[in-house]
Amino acid sequence: MRRTNWLAALLIAPLLLLILGSFLVPVGLTLFRAVADREVAVALPDTRAVLAGWDGQGLPPEVAFAAVARELAAVLEARRIGDVAQRMNFERTGLRTLLLRTARAGDRLRAPYAESLVALDARWGQRDAWLMLQRAGGPFTSLYLLRAMDFTRGPDGAVSQVAIEERLFQTLFLRTLWVSLLVTAICVLLAYPVAYTIARLRAPWSSVALTLVLIPFWSSVLVRTTAWFVLLQREGPVNGALVGLGLLDAPAQILGTRLAVVLALVHVLLPFAILPMHSVMTRLDATYLRAAASLGANGVQRFLRVWLPLSLPGVAAGGAMVFLLAVGMYTAPALVGGDRDQMVTWFIANFMTRDVNWGMAAALSAYLLAMSGAVIALTRILTGGTVQAGARA
């Protein structure tokens, strides 16, 4: 028995290593970036050490002014000032300009540095700038997690909401949740009768129908979404058909709307709902239906009281799969959606590729993961009793 266990462990080991190396470690490192704060500590170690002993009252000692002037000039010469300038500017707009101006004036600054720095830029004479520089010393920060929920922390450490015109992410998460739930509901409603029909078909028609469901997988998500981009244009086939049938007087603006996003997502994700439902329905024992019929149940009663409860595990699995894929979908909203239809993944990609702000990308990813897990857990709690009862039946 022990030899068999060792053999099984050796066979499973490559899969576990693959999951660990390609999923768990990258995801863990990415989420760690949501709280990591290393830019100031790496670029300005002496300044960080001096400010760590500062009590935050008044202005820091002369040695802090000397350290920041010296180290900013050094990181500018080493071409490493970009990271710390971007980090501080994200804390408060304008600090990037302050740091760059100070770094470029490094050769002209002389002791006493407290006077020369204030003469260069009056913000060095303000306690707020030094408090934010002290707080950015790391090694951890709540800045990105707070900003990802439209909150910020002031120089005194108090947490407050950002200005109304800057609030974005709470609405963004609600939009992502709403679109994902809507797409999931539509996919489940459309997939159930399809899966039921395929499960009741006899061979070879069941195989033919299942192949038709699998055909979309022969092309990439990008190709299928691009097809909707062509179909939904003002001069595209959909508008042409609607105008031809007299349903519209003129072509409508469908592309760049929420409707276009939902259509594209439903088309892409529908097979992921059908397949789990079909898998469960094909394994259902028809004996239960015959027993119900022998007890006098009609067709509707047999479906509602026997077939539907027994098939709920497939419905739950299909719905969960569609929801998780919809929450993380980037291609469809980016191609066919408008500015007000983008989801969280678009902003994650934007922070990673354009703004190069890995902290915000990681914070948004962490909240997206938490939201997905919460919805799946809540669904499991709300449907668990029904699903388990159906499975036991």
Side-chain angles (χ1 to χ4, degrees), residues 4-191:
T4 304
N5 292 339
W6 276 107
L7 180 60
L10 289 175
L11 293 175
I12 296 174
L15 176 61
L16 295 178
L17 291 175
L18 178 63
I19 295 175
L20 181 66
S22 64
F23 178 72
L24 295 180
V25 172
V27 170
L29 291 176
T30 300
L31 296 181
F32 175 75
R33 295 295 294 269
V35 295
D37 198 9
R38 301 179 62 251
E39 291 84 355
V40 172
V42 171
L44 311 174
D46 294 341
T47 303
R48 173 179 177 269
V50 174
L51 292 179
W54 175 46
D55 61 3
Q57 302 299 318
L59 291 177
E62 166 69 14
V63 64
F65 286 87
V68 77
R70 182 181 68 256
E71 290 185 319
L72 284 176
V75 295
L76 177 64
E77 184 177 355
R79 298 183 178 181
R80 294 187 292 109
I81 197 172
D83 291 340
V84 65
Q86 182 185 39
R87 163 64 179 85
M88 295 307 301
N89 199 66
F90 189 72
E91 181 96 25
R92 174 177 287 184
T93 303
L95 288 182
R96 178 186 182 89
T97 304
L98 173 64
L99 297 183
L100 290 175
R101 179 183 299 171
T102 305
R104 290 166 182 159
D107 295 338
R108 304 193 305 271
L109 297 175
R110 296 290 184 271
Y113 289 97
E115 296 180 4
S116 57
L117 281 177
V118 173
L120 175 69
D121 195 307
R123 284 175 290 183
W124 285 120
Q126 299 174 1
R127 187 171 65 100
D128 289 357
W130 290 100
L131 286 172
M132 287 184 285
L133 195 61
Q134 180 190 51
R135 191 166 63 233
F140 303 108
T141 180
S142 60
L143 172 66
Y144 303 114
L145 292 174
L146 288 173
R147 285 293 181 87
M149 282 286 109
D150 294 329
F151 287 93
T152 188
R153 190 183 295 275
D156 59 351
V159 176
S160 60
Q161 276 196 303
V162 299
I164 295 178
E165 61 273 11
E166 297 179 9
R167 295 175 191 175
L168 167 67
F169 297 110
Q170 292 183 15
T171 302
L172 177 65
F173 277 102
L174 291 175
R175 179 197 307 158
T176 300
L177 178 62
W178 163 246
V179 172
S180 300
L181 290 175
L182 178 61
V183 169
T184 300
I186 295 174
C187 284
V188 168
L189 292 176
L190 294 178

